[in-house]
Every structure is written in structure tokens, then in C-alpha cells.
Amino acid sequence: MKIIKKLIIAIGMITGALITSCQKLDVAPKNIFTSDVIFNSQAGIQSFLATIYQDLPIEDFKYVPSANDGAESPAGFEHGGNDWQEFYNEAACTGEEVGPWSGMDIGTGFGFWPYGDIRNVNIMIAELPKHVADLTQTGVDQLLGEAHFLRAYYYFGLAKRYGGVPIITVAQDPGAPLATLQVHRDKEQAVWDFIAAELDLGYKMMPATSDAGRANKYVAAALKSRAMLYAACVAKYGSVNYVDGEARASGAVGIPASAATGYFQAAYDAAKLLDGVYSLYNATPGDKVQNYVDLFLKPNSPENIFIKQYSIANNTAHSWDDTMSPRYFTANALTRSYPTLDLVNLWGTLPITNSDGTPTRYDNRAQLMQQLEPRLQATIYFPGATLRGLTFDMQRGIYPSFSGTAAAEVAKPANSRSYILASSTSTLYQGVQVIGFTGPWTGDDELTRTGFYVRKYIDYTRLQATVNLNTSVQPWIDLRYAEVLLNRAEAAVELGNTSDALTDINLIRDRAGATLYSSIDLTKVRTERCMELAFENQYYWDLKRWRTADVVLDKAHFKGLMPYYVFDENKFIFLAEPELFNREYTFPKQDYYEPLPGGEIANNPNLLPNNPGY
């Protein structure tokens, strides 16, 4: 269908070859290494698997649109940011981005079409049984289970974007008539059922343990809980909130509402398979802030189910520490994503105003933070927090004096407010710095626009001089036990099993240092999910599967927390104001599905009809 570039790695001393070929969906390149070279040893297979794993649609620190063929793929070593997270955060209360996607239609996607990777998996499934003599029957069966998991993951990435897509399980013959290569889309429900069946095979055939970064049976079960929850919501909520069209009428998008219960049950059952196998990280329960911080920095945590690893030596290191922090804390930085006050307020309204509406006065910035839930403190850097021996000195400006209510002050036009602002961190007001070294400010890409910074995944043990682009190696946790508990709780509530959901949610809240619930409902479960999984690139997809994105993002504007110093009182106040760019976001209902890539349709008109609205 298009030009596909793949690095095929062979065994032994063969390092690889860059292959370019014209493919019809998954038609083979002609000059790759033969199956005997690749599949007759574990070493050859592991080399072959490396590319397949690398290209999985895991939305990690470095997931960006590929500049080569328009598909989504991991970023190159030279890339310093995380455009994919910016793409999601721009539309969500989990972050306010400052990157290149400003003002773009967030639903149009990047043309994800991984049939070259699916072809590699199909070849693997076809070839492995021919090599029992070299690999043993047990070895072949386990690798086949892994291949079914990998194929399911690729189709999951397709289904949540497009709904129905062609299900191809046998590598196509490049010499076959064009009419047989130009296949039709399968129905969306058929694709989700295929994903479930593939993951069931993975669970049945794979061992219980695996090397870090590779799948095992419980990885398959965890992914099934995520995927089936998505399918269940498409069936339940997509049946009442959709854009009509030919693709909808044919079943290429949409699932009958009657199927929802079965998918919720499948998600619940898959999540239960992990009981007793994994547990929430709780190494330092006496310090719940530090415990939650360390959860994301411990590769061997009992909570980690499936991780993606990085290495400076292998040119796969990422830039999270550098691009999530201001330059003040790094050797060189360009901060890319800022939490919003809307996210913070999921934990409850901050105590920044008194009962009479006047701003609460604080002796120092850190006093506000000290009253908050430990998990919130561990997820977001607040004014007054410290990192690498330095303080987040967020300060928007100075009030020589302040009187009146917070709401009245924020409502005033900027030119009638009595505050002192500045265009440089070196500007002083009667000897006092006007804006903090860490912002908030609009004049520098490295400073926050919202008054917050991301803390999750930041490696606080590194020295400032070592934090630069492409020097971070903390793993991305793609699947962890807390998410599985959240999947299980959500499915349980949808099935009417509130008792089990309450237990699951309270396990998470206890670890978080939050007050335990005495009752549970769907709103509480969804809110808990937003809090627990903040900055893990799931919120965008949750809004889509819940079919609430068009409401949450209906001419949406997000807020920040602006700290000010009141000069004549020697106090700090915090005002809830629009984030400094005051962007507006929207989400048309058609964006619950992305359009099929135009280049693919041009080469295969049988993919039509396109998704509704495109």
C-alpha cells in the first residue's frame, strides 16, 4: 500500500539490513534474510522479535509520528521531546502543552497503519512450527503465544483508532492478483473479538514469567482487560453517541449495545487472572509521597507487568527528565507539558480562598502543597517543592498590596490589575524578584504556563549537570497492576458488582494516602482512574471510549494556579486563572474515530467507506 521501511535483524554477526519495498498491506519485501537463518535458533528469533517489539504502539516517553511514512512509530535518538504526549495532553485536563500541535484538530491522528509489522508476525506464526527440531515443541508453542500477543497489540492500536480494519492472519503473496490483495475492512466487532481470541491464545501458550520487556501470559491478560474495556464502552456508549454514516450502517464502526455486557465481563475476568501474581508497590508505606514517586523509577517493582526499556549505549534513551523540567533544574531543557489546575482539582478544590472569597495568605509557597494528598504531591511539582537541591519558585508577579476577593481580581482586565509583572527573571521590585526562575511566564518555552510541572517519572537522583536530551533511561511502565485494578473496578461497576469495585479502588487509595471510600459509583471509579493514571497517556483514550470527549472538550479552556507575592504583607497568595495562553479546545463527535489514511485508500479503494464525517 505504501513504502515501508523496516530494519530486519539477523542472527550471529549479521547486524541487519534496511529494506525498502512496495507493499500491499503486508506483502513481503524481497531481499530479507531467509526463514532458516532467522527461525532456527532462539538468538535469531530474539533479534527478529526486537523490531516487532520496538514498533508496538506503546505510547511511551518517545512516541511520535514517524517522519518517514506517516505512521506512528517510536522517535529517533535525535528527538528530544514527546510530541505524542503533547498531542494527547493538549486536549485533556492532564496537561497543557506548548508544542507544535496548538490549534490542530486533535482527532485526525497520524495515519497509523502497521501492516508491515503484522506481516512479520504472520510470517513468524507460519514459520515457527517448521523449526520444532531446533526449538523444541515447548519452545515453539511459547513463541507462538508471544506472536499472538504481539499481533493482538497491533490490532488493538488499529481498532481504537479506526474501528473495523482488515484482519489478515496469513502473509499475502506478492504475486497474487491485485483483486485478492485489495481486501475489505472487517466489522469493528469482529476486530475486537479477534483481539480477544489472540490474547486468549497468548495467555494459554506463553509461560508465567519472562524477561523484562517481553510478554508472558499475565501481560496478555492485562492487555485483554484494557482492550475489552474499550470494546465494552464502544458498545455501550458508542451506541448512543456517534456520527451516522455508511461505515456505521455496515458495521465497520460501532458495536451493538447488546454486546457490552459480554465485553465488560471479559475485561473483569481477564483482570482477575492477575490476582496474587502482582501487587501494588508499597516499599516505603511510612512515606507515601516518596513511595509513589519511587513506584515509577523501580524496574523490578512487583506492580510492573510490562515495561519498555531504554539505553544510552543502544541509542534508545529518552528525554523525560529534560523536557518535563525547566532549565533551572537541568543542563539544558525545553519544558513540553504542564499540568492544569483542572487536573489538580480532581483531588478536591485547593484551599486557596477563605470563606469570604479573599485569597488565603501563606507564609511560603510550600505551605499549600503540604496539605494535599501524597499521591498528588508525587504526581505534580507544586510551588515550593524541591528537586536536585533547588526550589520550584513559581511566582507570576508581585502585588504591592492586595485587597478584595480572588474572583473579583481575576475578573478585572489585565491592564486594570494592580500587580507588577516582568519580562525577565532578572527584574526586581524593591529588591524582590518579580517572576520565579520557574515561571509562570509566556516569554520562554522552558517555563510553565499553568503554575505546575510534571513530577511522575522524574528521576530525582540525577545530578543537574547530567540531565540533558536523550540521557534518561527509566523504563516506561506500559501495564501495571494499579491499571488492572482500575479496569476491574470499572468493569465491576458496569456489571453491578459494586462490592468488588469498592475493594479494588480502596486498595489504590490506601497506597495513595487518600481517604478510603465507604461507597462507590462509576463517577468515582472514572475520577480515580484520571488521578492514578495521570501523565500515562491513557486519559485521551478514556475520553474517547466513554464518549465524553465532545462534552469535556466543548469549547474548553483550562486553568492554572498563579502564585503571587504580596509585598506589604510578606505573604503569598494563589489565584485560579486561565492558563497563560488561554487556548480553546474542541472535539467534534466524528473524532471518536480517525479517518483511514488517505494513501491506503488510494491504493486500496476496497477499504471504503471511510469513517463517518470524513
Side-chain angles (χ1 to χ4, degrees):
M1 298 292 286
K2 61 184 178 182
I3 299 299
I4 297 289
K5 294 186 177 180
K6 281 290 167 202
L7 181 66
I8 305 298
I9 305 174
I11 61 171
M13 297 301 293
I14 304 174
T15 59
L18 189 64
I19 309 301
T20 303
S21 72
C22 187
Q23 298 189 359
K24 302 295 181 184
L25 284 181
D26 64 349
V27 175
K30 296 179 180 179
N31 55 336
I32 63 173
F33 299 111
T34 66
S35 61
D36 284 344
V37 173
I38 296 172
F39 295 111
N40 67 355
S41 71
Q42 287 286 348
I45 291 167
Q46 288 178 13
S47 294
F48 186 72
L49 281 172
T51 297
I52 299 174
Y53 270 99
Q54 181 65 24
D55 287 351
L56 280 179
I58 297 173
E59 290 155 31
D60 64 337
F61 300 112
K62 301 177 65 174
Y63 207 61
V64 298
S66 167
N68 292 329
D69 60 11
E72 296 159 1
S73 62
F77 179 60
E78 76 285 349
H79 194 279
N82 180 0
D83 291 345
W84 192 247
Q85 178 160 35
E86 293 171 35
F87 177 73
Y88 293 149
N89 285 352
E90 174 169 330
C93 68
T94 50
E96 168 61 29
E97 65 82 36
V98 297
W101 310 112
S102 305
M104 99 181 248
D105 181 357
I106 63 170
T108 54
F110 297 126
F112 180 66
W113 204 249
Y115 279 95
D117 297 290
I118 291 171
R119 176 185 177 79
N120 286 338
V121 180
N122 288 339
I123 290 173
M124 183 176 176
I125 290 173
E127 291 293 329
L128 281 172
K130 303 175 185 178
H131 299 272
V132 171
D134 298 306
L135 303 172
T136 76
Q137 187 63 56
T138 298
V140 166
D141 289 344
Q142 291 179 352
L143 286 166
L144 283 173
E146 193 170 3
H148 286 295
F149 162 82
L150 292 166
R151 191 161 64 180
Y153 207 136
Y154 280 112
Y155 272 99
F156 176 48
L158 285 164
K160 68 183 185 179
R161 289 168 172 83
Y162 307 119
V165 292
I167 299 174
I168 299 179
T169 60
V170 177
Q172 292 176 306
D173 179 2
L178 183 61
T180 65
L181 298 177
Q182 293 180 326
V183 296
H184 292 264
R185 298 172 71 180
D186 285 273
K187 292 183 178 182
E188 177 169 5
Q189 185 172 6
V191 177
W192 289 110
D193 290 344
F194 175 71
I195 292 167
E198 290 286 277
L199 292 173
D200 286 343
L201 286 171
Y203 180 81
K204 178 182 178 181
M205 300 175 75
M206 281 190 289
T209 60
S210 59
D211 294 335
R214 287 185 68 175
N216 58 50
K217 65 189 306 173
Y218 297 112
V219 176
L223 183 62
K224 186 178 180 184
S225 76
R226 180 191 288 178
M228 293 302 97
L229 195 61
Y230 202 106
C233 289
V234 171
K236 182 173 182 177
Y237 302 107
S239 295
V240 296
N241 191 5
Y242 61 89
V243 175
D244 211 350
E246 190 178 350
R248 174 81 188 183
S250 69
V253 296
I255 303 174
S258 59
T261 298
Y263 287 124
F264 281 126
Q265 189 66 55
Y268 178 84
D269 292 342
K272 279 183 66 67
L273 293 173
L274 285 84
D275 279 1
V277 182
Y278 298 89
S279 60
L280 296 178
Y281 180 85
N282 208 21
T284 54
D287 187 344
K288 289 187 178 293
V289 174
Q290 192 62 50
N291 185 74
Y292 198 80
V293 167
D294 289 342
L295 153 64
F296 297 94
L297 301 174
K298 302 296 183 182
N300 298 319
S301 163
E303 187 166 342
N304 294 349
I305 300 170
F306 187 47
I307 65 173
K308 185 171 181 179
Q309 297 174 299
Y310 308 86
S311 165
I312 293 176
N314 293 336
N315 288 357
T316 59
H318 58 88
S319 303
W320 188 261
D321 296 302
D322 196 62
T323 56
M324 292 297 111
S325 299
R327 190 163 298 167
Y328 190 54
F329 297 98
T330 69
N332 173 42
L334 181 66
T335 314
R336 306 302 292 267
S337 187
Y338 309 122
T340 66
L341 183 59
D342 304 73
L343 169 63
V344 172
N345 281 341
L346 292 179
W347 276 263
T349 303
L350 292 178
I352 58 175
T353 56
N354 300 312
S355 58
D356 62 358
T358 59
T360 304
R361 266 63 170 181
Y362 289 94
D363 295 327
N364 57 68
R365 299 175 183 88
Q367 280 183 303
L368 171 64
M369 173 182 60
Q370 293 165 359
Q371 305 175 49
L372 306 178
E373 179 191 297
R375 176 177 51 181
L376 176 55
Q377 296 181 55
T379 300
I380 291 172
Y381 278 120
F382 277 73
T386 59
L387 173 64
R388 305 184 185 111
L390 299 171
T391 298
F392 284 89
D393 65 342
M394 281 84 96
Q395 183 171 300
R396 171 66 174 144
I398 292 177
Y399 278 93
S401 64
F402 190 99
S403 62
T405 67
E409 181 65 18
V410 172
K412 294 177 182 177
N415 59 9
S416 66
R417 294 173 66 171
S418 60
Y419 53 22
I420 306 297
L421 302 180
S423 59
S424 169
T425 55
S426 62
T427 301
L428 304 180
Y429 172 78
Q430 297 191 28
V432 178
Q433 188 173 328
V434 175
I435 60 171
F437 288 116
T438 56
W441 191 34
T442 60
D444 195 317
D445 281 342
E446 70 179 66
L447 300 181
T448 178
R449 270 72 159 157
T450 66
F452 302 108
Y453 288 93
V454 175
R455 185 174 187 180
K456 185 176 283 188
Y457 275 117
I458 294 294
D459 186 353
Y460 61 90
T461 66
R462 298 179 64 187
L463 298 176
Q464 180 180 3
T466 69
V467 181
N468 212 322
L469 294 176
N470 303 309
T471 59
S472 293
V473 295
Q474 57 267 45
W476 176 264
I477 308 170
D478 184 50
L479 292 161
R480 62 185 179 98
Y481 190 55
E483 185 206 337
V484 171
L485 288 174
L486 288 162
N487 296 344
R488 175 173 164 176
E490 185 177 340
V493 167
E494 294 280 10
L495 293 167
N497 183 359
T498 56
S499 175
D500 192 76
L502 180 62
T503 299
D504 296 335
I505 294 300
N506 275 341
L507 283 172
I508 294 170
R509 289 183 67 79
D510 181 63
R511 193 267 298 277
T515 302
L516 301 187
Y517 286 136
S518 59
S519 63
I520 198 71
D521 57 33
L522 187 59
T523 298
K524 288 180 180 178
V525 170
R526 289 182 175 183
T527 301
E528 195 69 31
R529 185 179 184 90
C530 291
M531 294 188 292
E532 177 67 24
L533 301 180
F535 309 114
E536 297 181 47
N537 292 348
Q538 298 225 36
Y539 183 64
Y540 174 79
W541 296 112
D542 287 339
L543 289 180
K544 291 188 78 169
R545 67 182 176 87
W546 294 333
R547 295 300 195 256
T548 57
D550 63 297
V551 176
V552 173
L553 299 173
D554 181 19
K555 298 181 180 179
H557 293 257
F558 297 111
K559 290 186 177 181
L561 183 72
M562 303 301 161
Y564 294 94
Y565 178 64
V566 182
F567 187 84
D568 66 347
E569 299 179 39
N570 190 26
K571 300 287 184 180
F572 290 90
I573 60 173
F574 299 89
L575 299 180
E577 303 182 36
E579 56 86 10
L580 295 183
F581 284 171
N582 197 21
R583 294 190 180 99
E584 181 176 285
Y585 305 103
T586 190
F587 188 98
K589 285 187 178 183
Q590 71 183 40
D591 288 352
Y592 284 121
Y593 293 100
E594 296 176 16
L596 298 175
E600 307 305 333
I601 293 174
N603 286 289
N604 179 13
N606 287 335
L607 293 173
L608 293 171
N610 208 336
N611 288 336
Y614 301 106

